[in-house]
Every structure is written in structure tokens, then in C-alpha cells.
Amino acid sequence: MTQARDVLPLRLQLTPMQLPETTPVAVGKSSGSSAFSALATAQENVAGCNLLVRPGEPSEIIVKIENLSNRYLELNALVEGDFPSPWCRLRLEGSQIAPGAKMEAVLYFQIPANFFEFDESLQPQKSLQLDYQGMIYVSVNQENGIQFKEAASFNLYIRPRSLYLNFLPEIYSQVDFIGRLLAIFERTFEPAPQTLDVLWAYLDPLTAPEKMLPFLAYWVGWPAYPGLSVELQRTLIRNAMQIYRWRGTKRGLRFYLSLVLGLPLDENLRETEKHISIEEVSSKGLVMGETLLGQDSFIGGGQPYHFIVRLRPLAGGFINEHLARQIIEQEKPAFCSYELYIENRNNSS
């Protein structure tokens, strides 16, 4: 059985933490005729709790509970509404309230940041619901089996945040429709100036979105290497012009190998001590008309325009031999031959 309303031992008071600048016009309310809708409509004029909610921003309603009786009360609270349940969380300070004491509960609301970009909201002949109704019930069960239940209603008004209202006279900010209308244009045009402000970041391979990398690579004529990580591809695209400038030289080959293999350049070390050692073989070989047999030539001499590359991995490191050969073949002059040795490994070539 339920106690008569005039002797209820509880009193509820709802206080929204974010009030609308003006009373919003009802938009997209559900037209159901359920008992919940009827009760919410009846309580709306009494409670008068309207909460403005911005997508992606937290909002709160403070629920003050007062015990009007002369005994301790065990409380149970429940929140219902025509909004999705994940949007709302209820936190009570405790489950028991002393005689004549007051307690506060908090209703937390968090609307998804992409609320206005939902697929169903963009479908034709469908309107997005912006206004919601809810109820909070606080019940008490007595030892004699009598149950007391107090309820209070609240309204949620989901509205986009519009900066364009700041450029209009203050009287226009008091009209809910104008704010919603300007938000349509703001959400359409605002990404354009924001993109222009950070355009430099879109053109830098180190900061550009991953989907922009193929365009930036094509812009500098850089080939795509599917096996490389995204971070390494960013580095290579950014240094593409430097690699082109030194192509065909020892300096360019060492620089390219250093970027891909992660080996240091060792500028201050001797050639034989570097992690990337490139030694040129100076023998000209047999050149008719310039070679004197028995003096500056011999049978089985070295190859002309030949160089030797020795790679020394860092401690615990690994060198991809196939990738290293691919880089050398790409960067060396066509008439040159080479040998590749990877030290401290069993399979050297």
C-alpha cells in the first residue's frame, strides 16, 4: 500500500547546475501517451527543473532529499526517462538518512560528443529528438510493510554550443530557435577556418593525418614501401628532397641507410669503425691503352667502380638485409658494383 501524499516523510528538490539562457521551445518530443509521459507532464509544472545539456560536456542535477519524519529512513532511488540509460548516472551519499536531516544526490548526464552526427539523425524524413523527460523516484520501505514513494520530474534540453551568438545583440541570445539555427551554419563552416589555421600541420609529413601521407608522397615523388611503419614513412617523405639531392654519392647512401635501418651516422669516427662503413675500391682494372702489363695491372685484379658496404647493427639490433640491398640498388650509380657485409651475424654476404 502507498501512503497518502499529504503525510509523505520525504521531500525532494531538484536544482539544475546548467540553466538554459531562455526557456527552450519543445523540439522533437516523443508523442507517446504512456503512464510515464502523463506523470512527467503532470509533475513538470510543479518541479520546473530544466537542464541544458551540451553534447560532449558533463551536466548535473542536484537532488536534495529531506527526511520529514522522526525516524531513520532506508532509501532506494531510481531514475527513468525516455533518454538512453548510459547518458545518466545517479550517485547517493548513502542509503540511510537521519530524522529531520537532509541528503544530496547527484544526477550526472553525459551526451555523446557526436550526438548531432549520428547516422539516424542524418537520414531523410527523420527528425532528431532534442528534448527528453525523466523522473527520479525515492522510496522508503517501513517495517509495517507500508511503502512511501516520492517522485520529481526533470526536462533535458540538448542544444549545440554556438559561438556565433556572441556576435549578435544580446536580445537574440534569448531566443532558443536562433541559437539552434546558427549552430547549423557554424557546424558547416567552422571546420574550414580551423583547418586553415593549422594548414601547416597537414603539409608536414610528421604531423599530417595518416590518410594524407599518400598525397604528400606523390607530391615529392616518393615511392610507397608497404612493409615500413607509418612513423618511418613519415620520416622518409620529409627527407625525400635531401635524399634526392645526394643520390649517387657515399653521403646520400649512408644517410638513406641511417634513416631506414636506424643506425647512427658516426660523423667523427674513422670509416672502418662506423656502423655504416662504405669503402671504395680504387683499382681501375684493365683499360686498353692505359695499362702496362706487369707494371700497373695483373690478372684477376679488382673490379672498376666497386665499393664495399659493411653494416654493424647496434647491440641487440637486427638489420633487414633484403631492405638494405634494395636501398643500395636504388641509390648507387648504374655502372657501379658492390658487396654487402653485415657483421656479427651468421649469414653474411
Side-chain angles (χ1 to χ4, degrees):
M1 100 180 253
T2 302
Q3 186 74 5
R5 184 171 183 80
D6 56 351
V7 293
L8 282 180
L10 292 177
R11 178 185 296 165
L12 301 182
Q13 181 182 356
L14 306 185
T15 304
M17 292 291 99
Q18 189 172 0
L19 291 171
E21 297 179 358
T22 183
T23 302
V25 179
V27 178
K29 280 191 176 182
S30 57
S31 57
S33 58
S34 63
F36 165 74
S37 299
L39 179 59
T41 303
Q43 294 285 344
E44 183 175 348
N45 295 331
V46 179
C49 180
N50 299 320
L51 179 67
L52 178 65
V53 185
R54 309 285 190 185
E57 302 178 13
S59 301
E60 299 177 1
I61 293 180
I62 303 299
V63 183
K64 295 183 179 180
I65 307 174
E66 184 178 0
N67 184 359
L68 303 179
S69 68
N70 57 0
R71 65 181 65 183
Y72 280 89
L73 299 178
E74 295 289 338
L75 305 179
N76 293 310
L78 174 65
V79 178
E80 293 182 352
D82 56 353
F83 49 82
S85 57
W87 289 6
C88 178
R89 291 186 296 111
L90 172 63
R91 189 188 70 179
L92 285 172
E93 292 182 350
S95 60
Q96 189 179 72
I97 183 172
K102 296 180 180 180
M103 176 188 295
E104 287 189 354
V106 182
L107 287 175
Y108 294 96
F109 293 93
Q110 182 77 42
I111 310 300
N114 61 343
F115 174 80
F116 290 101
E117 287 78 31
F118 284 161
D119 292 339
E120 53 268 22
S121 65
L122 302 178
Q123 294 179 2
Q125 300 179 351
K126 283 192 176 182
S127 60
L128 182 64
Q129 184 174 347
L130 302 181
D131 303 334
Y132 297 86
Q133 296 176 337
M135 298 285 294
I136 177 171
Y137 300 93
V138 179
S139 60
V140 178
N141 295 320
Q142 299 292 338
E143 296 179 356
N144 55 9
I146 299 177
Q147 182 186 66
F148 301 96
K149 179 181 290 186
E150 175 69 320
S153 70
F154 55 88
N155 301 310
L156 299 181
Y157 297 100
I158 302 178
R159 298 294 185 267
R161 182 174 295 279
S162 177
L163 300 177
Y164 286 7
L165 285 173
N166 299 333
F167 302 99
L168 296 179
E170 184 178 356
I171 188 174
Y172 290 104
S173 64
Q174 301 175 5
V175 182
D176 179 58
F177 172 76
I178 294 181
R180 291 187 283 112
L181 177 64
L182 290 179
I184 297 176
F185 297 96
E186 182 176 356
R187 299 179 77 87
T188 302
F189 297 113
E190 195 63 22
Q194 291 178 359
T195 302
L196 292 176
D197 290 340
V198 293
L199 184 60
W200 61 270
Y202 285 84
L203 302 180
D204 188 340
L206 298 183
T207 57
E210 185 175 347
K211 292 184 179 180
M212 282 283 293
L213 292 182
F215 167 75
L216 296 178
Y218 177 79
W219 200 2
V220 295
W222 187 256
Y225 294 101
L228 302 182
S229 65
V230 176
E231 291 74 16
L232 182 54
Q233 292 185 41
R234 292 179 183 274
T235 302
L236 293 176
I237 295 173
R238 195 181 195 207
N239 292 275
M241 302 308 297
Q242 197 78 347
I243 296 175
Y244 294 155
R245 185 178 297 114
W246 295 337
R247 173 160 288 178
T249 66
K250 180 193 296 187
R251 179 182 181 182
L253 177 58
R254 195 195 312 275
F255 179 68
Y256 196 175
L257 290 172
S258 174
L259 291 177
V260 176
L261 303 180
L263 300 177
L265 292 175
D266 302 324
E267 300 284 355
N268 300 323
L269 297 180
R270 293 183 300 177
E271 191 66 37
T272 56
E273 300 175 353
K274 294 181 178 181
H275 286 83
I276 306 175
S277 174
I278 303 176
E279 298 177 339
E280 300 181 42
V281 179
S282 58
S283 173
K284 295 173 60 178
L286 178 60
V287 179
M288 300 299 296
E290 298 183 8
T291 302
L292 297 178
L293 295 177
Q295 296 184 14
D296 56 359
S297 66
F298 55 93
I299 298 177
Q303 304 178 42
Y305 306 109
H306 187 77
F307 62 93
I308 300 174
V309 179
R310 302 181 187 275
L311 302 178
R312 302 178 176 93
L314 299 173
F318 170 77
I319 292 179
N320 188 330
E321 180 176 345
H322 174 75
L323 183 58
R325 290 188 179 276
Q326 185 178 358
I327 294 174
I328 297 174
E329 291 286 349
Q330 176 181 318
E331 295 301 305
K332 75 177 185 65
F335 53 83
C336 291
S337 58
Y338 73 95
E339 298 176 44
L340 173 63
Y341 297 94
I342 300 178
E343 297 187 354
N344 299 327
R345 291 183 55 190
N346 296 329
N347 55 332
S348 59
S349 58

